[in-house]
Amino acid sequence: MIPIEKKISVLLSESRKSSTTQYKRDIIKRLDYYYDRQLTYLQDMISTQFVHTDPLSLQPHFFNIVKAIVNETAMIYRSGARRSLIRDSNKPVGAKLTKLWTFIQQKTRYETIMKTANRLVKLCRNVLIKPSFRYNSIKLDILTPNLVDVLVDDNDPTEPDVIAYARPLSQYEDNWTLDNRYIIHYWDKNRYLRLSARGDIIVNPGNRNGINPYDVLPFVRFTDELPHESFFVQGGDDLIIAQDNINIKLTQLNYLVKMQTFSVPILVGYRGPEQITISPGKPLIIPLGMIGDQGSPDFRFESPDPQIKELITLLEHEIMRIFRAYGVSNADFSLRGGVKSGFALVMENLKLLESRENEVPFFEDAEEELFEVIKKVWNYHAPFLPATHQFSGVTFPEDIHLKVTVNDISLPRPQGEELAEWRFMFQNKLATPIDFLIRRYKVTEQEAETMLKQSYEWWIENSLQENNLENNKTQ
């Protein structure tokens, strides 16, 4: 077994390699672009690509296609998902465990976390979700690749042996200094350590022996493709390059519109000390030329021929190309259109729907794996919860697992067609009212069951009241 000191040394060395650092910078750039922090990158490109940068720097402009495409293509949870606890023995799960899982989903904002993970996978190709135990409950932390360092298994480059991530050090801790503001959280299957940026071990009062209490790496990788060369799936640079090109052209267009949509004043043959000012309320006086000058001073307006229309057309085509490359329909960025049939919508979005169909199994498997880690984290901490906690001492049995089924997307259809389909499903016992509520209102199975129960109770209560009123009238 490799000594822990050796693993730490290798981890820090790998983290400082230029290739790793460049990959992290690329991920940071993607995140900045998605969250509209593009101006600094645009100004850097202007200063690099142009000699005379001042005029362009005063007219920067960008249009965020990264966010538009990521949000449009992140379709996994567009129609929600069904999540059910199951047991290997086929015994009933029990109300207490069902309520515990509902409690964890509510406290972690599970549905929101999954939707965010889907978007970040589209942006970064990979994210890690780490279940943690804080404030007497499970929390789910999303880690993008720029925050993570990984040492892979010697026998499988796609499986992690060590995972570490950096977090700011609390200013109330003794180790906090201006030069040491971050700590590295180091995890392998046996150890959990806190390290300084130099690799020194920081003693954790709650875990002085540096033990990993869960016996597994408490991380789950979410991606939409099977990794085969390394732990992280690569790709997605074309979207960022397209964003750069579009931003440069938009800035050029902005400057072109400002400077060349009106006549340009030209002064010829004057080198006098007077400052020439052009103003509608002030007459223009051109001084005589100096002795020995050839020709006379001259002033005139020239009308330039800016290629504004051509540049706009080029921009539109460039935006359309990148949208089409990611399967986004032209209708999503067209100003014209009308009502379309369900079949027409399917054909327009066929590439997106096919891509989603390929990605769904990866997210279903990742969620089921995530539950196994959540189960280990919860079971370790549950015995130490305060006695007043509603789930103190309640743990998940080992034979409890999560079954995840992502719902198919239902495209808009005439109301009559949709009602006829549900009527057929109910008559042939192919669906339940719970299925209808999940699809119609995009709720979880537990929420649908609660809605149905409340609905039945209301109708029973009001039916009794109506019957009593009828009986009173009869009497």
Side-chain angles (χ1 to χ4, degrees):
M1 182 178 295
I2 301 176
I4 187 69
E5 293 79 6
K6 179 65 175 178
K7 286 188 177 182
I8 292 173
S9 176
V10 172
L11 178 75
L12 296 177
S13 177
E14 290 291 323
S15 178
R16 297 185 184 110
K17 282 186 178 179
S18 58
S19 59
T20 305
T21 305
Q22 182 59 48
Y23 175 64
K24 290 184 177 182
R25 283 199 295 263
D26 291 341
I27 296 299
I28 292 171
K29 183 176 181 178
R30 295 185 193 192
L31 292 166
D32 285 340
Y33 274 32
Y34 181 82
Y35 292 110
D36 294 313
R37 298 188 292 262
Q38 300 190 22
L39 184 58
T40 302
Y41 296 94
L42 177 56
Q43 291 172 336
D44 290 341
M45 283 192 295
I46 290 172
S47 63
T48 302
Q49 298 182 21
F50 300 92
V51 176
H52 188 44
T53 62
D54 291 344
L56 285 174
S57 297
L58 296 175
Q59 298 292 318
H61 184 56
F62 64 85
F63 165 59
N64 197 338
I65 67 166
V66 171
K67 179 181 288 187
I69 290 177
V70 165
N71 289 351
E72 188 65 27
T73 56
M75 300 177 62
I76 296 297
Y77 299 104
R78 193 69 59 90
S79 293
R82 298 188 63 173
R83 303 175 178 94
S84 305
L85 295 180
I86 60 174
R87 302 190 80 150
D88 294 335
S89 58
N90 293 325
K91 293 180 181 179
V93 172
K96 191 69 172 180
L97 294 179
T98 301
K99 289 180 180 179
L100 171 57
W101 174 233
T102 302
F103 167 79
I104 291 174
Q105 289 182 90
Q106 292 172 346
K107 288 295 183 180
T108 59
R109 302 179 66 185
Y110 190 91
E111 188 72 27
T112 302
I113 290 289
M114 291 303 108
K115 291 180 178 179
T116 303
N118 186 202
R119 293 193 184 100
L120 290 176
V121 165
K122 282 296 180 184
L123 180 67
C124 306
R125 303 303 312 278
N126 320 261
V127 295
L128 298 183
I129 294 184
K130 179 186 180 298
S132 302
F133 195 87
R134 296 194 296 268
Y135 307 112
N136 294 332
S137 181
I138 296 288
K139 302 294 180 182
L140 297 179
D141 301 322
I142 298 180
L143 300 173
T144 48
N146 57 298
L147 303 173
V148 180
D149 289 299
V150 180
L151 292 183
V152 296
D153 188 284
D154 292 337
N155 300 316
D156 187 349
T158 67
E159 289 298 322
D161 182 44
V162 175
I163 295 180
Y165 61 95
R167 279 286 186 263
L169 184 67
S170 170
Q171 297 188 30
Y172 299 102
E173 298 194 34
D174 296 335
N175 303 78
W176 194 93
T177 65
L178 290 177
D179 297 326
N180 191 24
R181 288 169 288 183
Y182 290 86
I183 58 174
I184 299 170
H185 295 263
Y186 169 101
W187 290 86
D188 63 32
K189 291 182 180 180
N190 301 311
R191 306 294 296 273
Y192 164 60
L193 300 171
R194 305 197 324 173
L195 310 173
S196 69
R198 297 185 300 270
D200 300 325
I201 295 177
I202 301 173
V203 176
N204 183 358
N207 185 9
R208 292 187 175 275
N209 295 324
I211 303 299
N212 177 357
Y214 313 127
D215 296 323
V216 297
L217 286 169
F219 304 86
V220 176
R221 173 180 52 200
F222 280 70
T223 184
D224 57 7
E225 186 177 321
L226 192 67
H228 59 278
E229 293 181 346
S230 62
F231 179 75
F232 289 124
V233 174
Q234 306 292 321
D237 293 338
D238 56 339
L239 180 57
I240 304 303
I241 292 173
Q243 180 73 75
D244 285 339
N245 292 335
I246 289 169
N247 288 351
I248 285 290
K249 289 182 177 64
L250 280 172
T251 301
Q252 289 176 304
L253 177 62
N254 209 19
Y255 178 68
L256 189 65
V257 169
K258 175 185 178 182
M259 300 304 298
Q260 297 195 19
T261 52
F262 51 86
S263 298
V264 178
I266 298 176
L267 180 61
V268 179
Y270 173 66
R271 297 191 298 272
E274 293 83 357
Q275 181 179 359
I276 305 299
T277 304
I278 300 175
S279 174
K282 180 179 179 181
L284 178 63
I285 302 174
I286 303 177
L288 295 175
M290 301 178 66
I291 298 175
D293 282 349
Q294 304 221 347
S296 301
D298 181 28
F299 179 83
R300 64 182 183 272
F301 284 93
E302 294 285 354
S303 297
D305 185 22
Q307 305 297 310
I308 294 177
K309 184 177 180 180
E310 289 78 1
L311 185 53
I312 291 175
T313 301
L314 179 63
L315 267 169
E316 289 177 346
H317 283 300
E318 190 156 352
I319 292 173
M320 289 174 66
R321 279 198 303 271
I322 192 65
F323 270 66
R324 286 172 180 167
Y326 278 81
V328 180
S329 167
N330 290 0
D332 292 317
F333 51 94
S334 174
L335 298 179
R336 302 174 186 174
V339 179
K340 299 182 180 180
S341 67
F343 179 75
L345 289 172
V346 170
M347 296 308 297
E348 273 189 1
N349 296 278
L350 185 59
K351 188 174 180 180
L352 270 181
L353 295 173
E354 288 179 344
S355 176
R356 177 185 184 270
E357 186 177 351
N358 294 331
E359 295 164 7
V360 161
F362 291 99
F363 281 83
E364 290 176 339
D365 291 346
E367 277 201 55
E368 292 172 3
E369 182 183 349
L370 178 63
F371 176 79
E372 297 300 318
V373 180
I374 290 174
K375 181 171 68 176
K376 285 184 175 293
V377 174
W378 175 266
N379 285 355
Y380 176 81
H381 294 280
F384 305 105
L385 286 170
T388 54
H389 195 284
Q390 58 179 321
F391 296 107
S392 175
V394 179
T395 59
F396 291 106
E398 285 302 315
D399 67 338
I400 288 278
H401 309 287
L402 182 68
K403 176 62 178 175
V404 180
T405 303
V406 173
N407 296 327
D408 292 332
I409 289 181
S410 54
L411 294 170
R413 291 181 299 167
Q415 189 174 15
E417 290 183 13
E418 188 172 0
L419 290 175
E421 180 183 352
W422 280 108
R423 190 177 298 113
F424 173 83
M425 299 284 282
F426 290 152
Q427 289 174 351
N428 291 276
K429 307 295 189 294
L430 299 175
T432 67
I434 291 176
D435 296 321
F436 173 78
L437 292 173
I438 290 173
R439 291 287 189 88
R440 179 65 177 82
Y441 298 105
K442 307 295 188 297
V443 296
T444 64
E445 185 173 6
Q446 290 79 11
E447 290 170 337
E449 290 175 352
T450 302
M451 291 172 63
L452 188 63
K453 181 180 178 182
Q454 292 174 345
S455 177
Y456 283 164
E457 290 174 350
W458 187 92
W459 281 106
I460 292 172
E461 180 181 351
N462 283 271
S463 296
L464 291 174
Q465 291 178 358
E466 289 179 5
N467 292 334
N468 291 334
L469 288 173
E470 291 294 330
N471 292 334
N472 290 335
K473 289 180 181 179
T474 304
Q475 294 174 359

